[in-house]
Amino acid sequence: MFSDELGAGTHEPLLAGLNPEQRAAVTLPEGHALILAGAGSGKTRVLTTRIAWLLQTGRATPGGILAVTFTNKAAREMLTRLSGMLPINVRGMWIGTFHGLCNRMLRAHHKLAGLPQAFQILDQQDQLSAIKRLCKQHQVDDQRFPPKQLQQFIGSCKEEGMRPRDVPQHNPAMRRQAEIYQLYEEQCQREGVADFGELMLRSFELLRDNDPIRMHYQRRFAHILVDEFQDTNRLQYRWLKQLAGDEQNGQLRTMGSVMAVGDDDQSIYAFRGARVGNMQDFVREFDVRQTIKLEENYRSYSNILDCANALIAHNARRLGKNLRTAQGPGEPVRIFEAASDFAEAQWMVDEIRALTSAGMARQQIAVLYRSNAQSRVIESALFNAGVSYRVYGGLRFFERAEIKHALAYLRLLENVHDDTSFVRVVNFPPRGIGARTLEQLQDAARSAGCSLHDAAAQIKGAAGAKLGGFVALIEVLREQTQGQSLRAIIERMLDASGLVEHYRSDKEGEDRIENLHELVNAAESFVVQEGFGRDAVALPLDEQRGSGLTQSPVSQGLDPSQPAAGGFIDQDTGETLSPLVAFLTHAALEAGDNQAQAGQDAVQLMTVHASKGLEFDAVFIGGLEEGLFPHDNAMSDQAGLEEERRLMYVAITRARQRLYLSHAQTRMLHGQTRYNVRSRFLDELPQEALKWLTPQRAGAAQARGGAGGGFSAWSDAAPSRFGSKGEVFASPPVPPQKAQPAHGLRVGLAVFHTKFGEGKVLAIEGSGDDARAQVHFPRHGTKWLALAVAKLTVVD
DNA sequence: GGGGTTAACATTTTT
DNA sequence: TGTTAACCCC
């Protein structure tokens, strides 16, 4: 099909427009390579062009490539661009998310992996409720072991590749947690479900423990490409190693080439297991000879890049990289100090209005913040000003309660032993099956060692009758929907379950009913798009031909020219997933769009984390205050602080033309007024690139050190509303100094206490008689002191 | 079983 | 301060 393209020079258009580094990365010879791709350096372009180039020049076949990303969005983007570059069918190619590809592998080898082919996937919510159910059943003390914590524990065990028996059992608490982990695993196994971590771990173990399978994939994937490598966790890295080759005498012997693309300066997911160290390990263990830095930035003016470069230079242990641009300096980066969070938001609104009236599109303007709580003030300021906006994050389509209920019914149709789903809908809509009945049922199920569904018959009396009714409902529905289309199944289910009926009587049920109908649409379009080569798609027959259905995976893998086998086909029996199971898998693996579509022409509000990978003409970053950004919880150690700085780096590099930074002297937090010092990050930026919109006072560094001085001008007054912008702040050459709080303390000051000795002020809350200060005393630890009572003197 | 009340908690989040 | 989940009573 694309053999025509192989003629000399025909790949030129592919490489046209690439800079030398990009071109070098795209055309690297065989061997492992690390591509350090700075923000805005055309990373995705390089990645996809590399794949296209490998295919076009005959260096690889579609089936011989594995490309892995973190998000469905990134995977989709790659597929779209790739099919735009080459006339190939990307369907069936192994391009997807880590979890999507693991899922595919597990479906294909489910017997060896010890799973039913139609296993269901638990998302976070499902996992938590499964754990809660388990804790109840085994009388786990939920004070000592809160379900959330157990979920976290199990998750991180799996990320580290640990099964219950591998958990170090130093103390009784650890032993107990390992026990619960073990019980949880047994429960999942019994119910035929797998959580996200399990997909990854099970797939890893499948490769590790089955030589033929591992070798099959090692031979098959001559080229492995990894996106956002800096965000891989330990298990994902080990999984990649299994696919790449075997270790012999501590030496990794690989068959194909691994290209890792990432940016250590943009690693912001340590809190969920991301390990920047994987980059260094990769270079060492894979003996990487080729490292290419993409430092040319096509996004931002140089003032913005100068800020980014200067800031990130404060981090130690970097691989080292400096962004550059051919563009001019552009506008200076503006910094604004507001009296309050309220005033900060108002300033943003005023600036946003100025930008839009100068012709900038609203959707090209983003307001970024460190924590979600910050959005509230900004939202109300925008709302009052009549500026349309859109907040990212929040509930996704498949996470909505009504959708989850509907999915639970569908899951039960597929597998009546799915107790998570059973519990979810056995009494929803209400059928008079209460907590007592459920408890009885769970006891019966446990002593009989069977599922809730099977135990239902054992319950006597009225409760038993009601349970019987539910079981019968599912049974009847199952028979009725046998062989039906996905659409028909869902419509039938919505009707028979009473879900729609239930919401009809609910005053807020209208939206929910609409969503339930939307579920039918989602299923429809899933069926239509089925076969896009992702997730659990049952491939049509013509795609199955030549995929080695009748061959063992080993022999099949010997021929690299074969097209990718649809991974949802049982490698032994050739059985494919039913559309229903495929759809349920799709729903779990891809929770759907993140935001309701509120008008296109809207300012974008999101956390810095959510902004990664995006770009905007104008970017506002608010709340640049010590304690908020960098966040208190992250400042205890160097690593935490450095991650905060990377986060700031990500935020800065989102901006194309204009960047606005702001902080507030006063901020409402948890219903109390906090006085915050401006973020150290602001003092790490190059002055030449900045324009302070408000007079600059002693920086955070001085304040923290307790040195020098001047008065800090706090506003204890109620936040004031500013009529037109700049009225209050732009003109006066002297800062508008308000009365200083009577206690005269500031965050960072050294103080002396008659009993605790010398200490340092960490935070101040409240005012007047209620004022309290958090002070750290080297000998007595950190204490909150009521300033009206405690006698503190400022130490020079 | 539902509705109201109260207590606890409040970084970041994809799959 | 605002939300959420647990809890208690009818």
Side-chain angles (χ1 to χ4, degrees):
Chain A
M1 39 179 169
F2 52 90
S3 52
D4 294 347
E5 316 276 325
L6 292 180
T10 49
H11 59 264
E12 269 316 307
L14 215 52
L15 305 179
L18 296 181
N19 69 33
E21 292 81 29
Q22 291 175 329
R23 183 181 290 240
V26 166
T27 60
L28 274 175
E30 290 200 355
H32 309 305
L34 177 66
I35 312 298
L36 282 174
S41 65
K43 178 198 68 174
T44 311
R45 185 173 181 198
V46 166
L47 212 43
T48 43
T49 314
R50 166 74 173 176
I51 296 174
W53 183 81
L54 287 170
L55 294 175
Q56 199 181 52
T57 59
R59 285 173 168 80
T61 60
I65 286 174
L66 182 143
V68 62
T69 65
F70 274 89
T71 63
N72 291 300
K73 198 174 153 202
R76 259 196 309 270
E77 171 82 11
M78 209 182 281
L79 287 169
T80 317
R81 288 211 205 180
L82 190 56
S83 38
M85 282 186 221
L86 286 183
I88 57 159
N89 190 357
V90 292
R91 199 175 166 180
M93 283 186 74
W94 282 66
I95 296 179
T97 63
F98 277 101
H99 294 87
L101 296 181
C102 286
N103 170 59
R104 186 189 270 204
M105 201 177 276
L106 292 173
R107 303 274 177 197
H109 311 287
H110 67 94
K111 283 218 183 71
L112 278 171
L115 288 167
Q117 194 196 14
F119 70 84
Q120 285 305 306
I121 298 167
L122 300 185
D123 66 16
Q124 301 259 109
Q125 289 179 37
D126 298 332
Q127 190 191 21
L128 188 61
S129 50
I131 291 173
K132 281 181 179 166
R133 183 158 48 84
L134 180 131
C135 286
K136 268 232 179 75
Q137 194 153 119
H138 295 273
Q139 281 106 41
V140 176
D141 179 0
D142 59 358
Q143 298 285 65
R144 279 190 56 200
F145 303 102
K148 280 238 175 65
Q149 197 182 300
L150 289 167
Q151 183 182 28
Q152 166 76 35
F153 173 79
I154 292 170
S156 37
C157 281
K158 291 187 179 181
E159 267 168 15
E160 292 291 316
M162 283 192 292
R163 288 298 180 187
R165 62 169 172 282
D166 307 318
V167 175
Q169 313 209 335
H170 304 310
N171 52 55
M174 281 298 264
R175 208 168 308 133
R176 184 72 178 134
Q177 289 192 95
E179 266 172 40
I180 299 167
Y181 179 15
Q182 174 69 36
L183 290 168
Y184 170 74
E185 284 215 323
E186 286 163 8
Q187 178 178 294
C188 288
Q189 192 65 35
R190 204 167 46 236
E191 297 174 13
V193 297
D195 61 48
F196 287 128
E198 188 67 27
L199 291 180
M200 209 60 236
L201 181 53
R202 192 75 69 121
S203 172
F204 165 76
E205 289 170 342
L206 173 77
L207 291 168
R208 184 195 59 193
D209 301 337
N210 296 279
D211 295 349
I213 301 274
R214 184 178 64 255
M215 282 159 64
H216 159 67
Y217 284 108
Q218 286 178 357
R219 279 201 206 99
R220 172 179 179 160
F221 296 126
H223 290 276
I224 296 174
L225 301 98
V226 195
D227 191 17
E228 304 280 15
F229 191 76
Q230 77 284 348
D231 285 335
T232 51
N233 64 33
R234 207 172 224 118
L235 181 59
Q236 284 157 342
Y237 177 64
R238 293 218 274 152
W239 183 81
L240 287 166
K241 262 167 76 174
Q242 292 291 341
L243 284 173
D246 288 351
E247 249 166 327
Q248 284 168 13
N249 314 322
Q251 191 79 28
L252 188 64
R253 296 174 54 106
T254 55
M255 309 194 63
S257 303
V258 178
M259 174 177 274
V261 182
D263 181 358
D264 55 328
D265 292 332
Q266 290 189 72
S267 171
I268 55 173
Y269 285 113
F271 69 90
R272 63 175 198 215
R275 216 179 144 264
V276 210
N278 283 349
M279 296 185 100
Q280 284 88 345
D281 288 358
F282 173 62
V283 171
R284 193 181 66 251
E285 296 180 353
F286 283 69
D287 190 23
V288 172
R289 306 285 171 83
Q290 298 277 4
T291 297
I292 293 178
K293 293 183 185 178
L294 305 179
E295 298 177 293
E296 171 104 41
N297 174 293
Y298 295 97
R299 184 181 292 159
S300 317
Y301 283 110
S302 68
N303 275 335
I304 294 169
L305 290 188
D306 289 348
C307 284
N309 284 329
L311 177 92
I312 203 66
H314 285 80
N315 272 4
R317 297 189 296 275
R318 295 175 57 219
L319 293 174
K321 191 168 43 49
N322 232 12
L323 295 177
R324 55 166 198 276
T325 178
Q327 298 198 67
E331 291 286 320
V333 172
R334 287 163 164 79
I335 302 183
F336 181 75
E337 177 179 63
S340 65
D341 50 349
F342 186 89
E344 180 187 46
Q346 192 55 46
W347 168 74
M348 287 177 175
V349 171
D350 291 339
E351 292 289 349
I352 287 169
R353 281 171 141 176
L355 289 173
T356 51
S357 57
M360 191 178 284
R362 263 186 280 273
Q363 67 266 28
Q364 280 307 325
I365 302 172
V367 180
L368 310 184
Y369 35 80
R370 175 66 240 267
S371 70
N372 285 307
Q374 287 170 256
S375 77
R376 186 175 309 279
V377 219
I378 301 167
E379 281 184 67
S380 69
L382 286 166
F383 182 83
N384 290 334
V387 180
S388 55
Y389 63 91
R390 203 167 81 170
V391 186
Y392 276 64
L395 267 196
R396 333 258 283 298
F397 181 72
F398 286 114
E399 289 169 356
R400 294 170 180 280
E402 63 275 19
I403 298 299
K404 297 229 66 162
H405 283 129
L407 292 175
Y409 278 102
L410 294 177
R411 286 182 176 199
L412 283 178
L413 292 186
E414 189 55 45
N415 171 16
V416 289
H417 306 303
D418 182 339
D419 285 356
T420 305
S421 299
F422 190 99
V423 170
R424 179 164 201 118
V425 292
V426 67
N427 196 38
F428 195 95
R431 303 188 171 87
I433 300 170
R436 298 180 317 279
T437 308
L438 214 52
E439 225 164 274
Q440 249 182 297
L441 180 64
Q442 281 174 332
D443 283 345
R446 187 161 40 113
S447 54
C450 66
S451 66
L452 297 177
H453 173 271
D454 289 354
Q458 295 177 30
I459 307 299
K460 302 279 177 282
K466 286 173 184 164
L467 278 173
F470 177 71
V471 168
L473 167 77
I474 299 297
E475 211 51 56
V476 169
L477 196 52
R478 198 149 70 121
E479 271 164 36
Q480 285 177 344
T481 54
Q482 210 59 246
Q484 299 277 298
S485 73
L486 186 54
R487 181 197 190 97
I489 295 175
I490 297 178
E491 281 174 340
R492 190 78 207 83
M493 176 276 297
L494 287 179
D495 189 41
S497 66
L499 275 178
V500 172
E501 185 59 32
H502 171 79
Y503 285 123
R504 231 191 284 281
S505 59
D506 195 305
K507 53 183 182 293
E508 290 162 36
E510 228 168 281
D511 289 346
R512 295 182 188 271
I513 292 175
E514 203 171 301
N515 284 330
L516 288 173
H517 290 312
E518 189 54 40
L519 182 65
V520 180
N521 293 337
E524 272 297 275
S525 57
F526 173 75
V527 169
V528 172
Q529 292 182 14
E530 189 181 350
F532 264 20
R534 303 194 328 268
D535 304 348
V537 178
L539 294 181
L541 276 175
D542 63 318
E543 287 287 314
Q544 293 179 19
R545 239 180 297 122
S547 64
L549 283 184
T550 54
Q551 307 169 34
S552 78
V554 184
S555 57
Q556 171 204 349
L558 292 175
D559 180 4
S561 69
Q562 280 182 352
F568 326 109
I569 300 166
D570 185 311
Q571 288 290 330
D572 299 320
T573 68
E575 195 184 346
T576 67
L577 293 183
S578 72
L580 177 57
V581 176
F583 180 63
L584 289 171
T585 303
H586 166 79
L589 245 28
E590 195 161 351
D593 274 335
N594 219 345
Q595 69 273 345
Q597 34 218 344
Q600 293 282 56
D601 188 27
V603 175
Q604 322 268 317
L605 269 60
M606 67 191 84
T607 63
V608 179
H609 281 93
S611 76
K612 193 175 170 205
L614 305 178
E615 57 180 65
F616 308 91
D617 285 342
V619 168
F620 290 79
I621 310 172
L624 285 163
E625 294 141 39
E626 289 288 299
L628 226 201
F629 200 177
H631 197 278
D632 268 328
N633 301 2
M635 280 199 285
S636 52
D637 57 3
Q638 183 75 0
L641 182 64
E642 295 208 346
E643 175 139 323
E644 294 290 299
R645 193 175 278 115
R646 290 194 292 270
L647 204 47
M648 180 68 184
Y649 176 79
V650 167
I652 291 174
T653 53
R654 297 310 95 200
R656 281 196 282 253
Q657 299 168 12
R658 282 175 175 259
L659 179 60
Y660 297 84
L661 311 175
S662 61
H663 64 110
Q665 298 164 355
T666 284
R667 185 174 295 278
M668 281 296 252
L669 194 67
H670 309 330
Q672 286 206 294
T673 306
R674 300 255 322 204
Y675 300 89
N676 291 330
V677 179
R678 76 161 180 255
S679 170
R680 70 190 71 193
F681 296 154
L682 289 175
D683 297 296
E684 295 173 359
L685 305 179
Q687 291 300 314
E688 320 82 71
L690 307 178
K691 179 175 179 184
W692 296 78
L693 299 182
T694 33
Q696 196 184 348
R697 284 189 239 93
Q702 287 106 308
R704 267 195 310 282
F711 293 91
S712 192
W714 286 319
S715 164
D716 260 353
S720 58
R721 186 187 264 282
F722 306 110
S724 59
K725 76 180 151 188
E727 206 174 277
V728 177
F729 283 105
S731 39
V734 182
Q737 296 200 2
K738 305 265 172 63
Q740 210 184 140
H743 48 72
L745 291 183
R746 260 187 307 156
V747 172
L749 277 188
V751 291
F752 183 79
H753 186 274
T754 45
K755 188 160 167 209
F756 303 129
E758 211 167 301
K760 201 164 102 180
V761 180
L762 298 180
I764 302 171
E765 274 185 358
S767 58
D769 281 349
D770 296 328
R772 307 187 307 143
Q774 189 186 32
V775 184
H776 176 75
F777 299 100
R779 265 186 232 148
H780 301 269
T782 303
K783 299 188 183 300
W784 277 101
L785 303 170
L787 296 180
V789 181
K791 290 171 194 68
L792 289 177
T793 45
V794 177
V795 180
D796 216 342

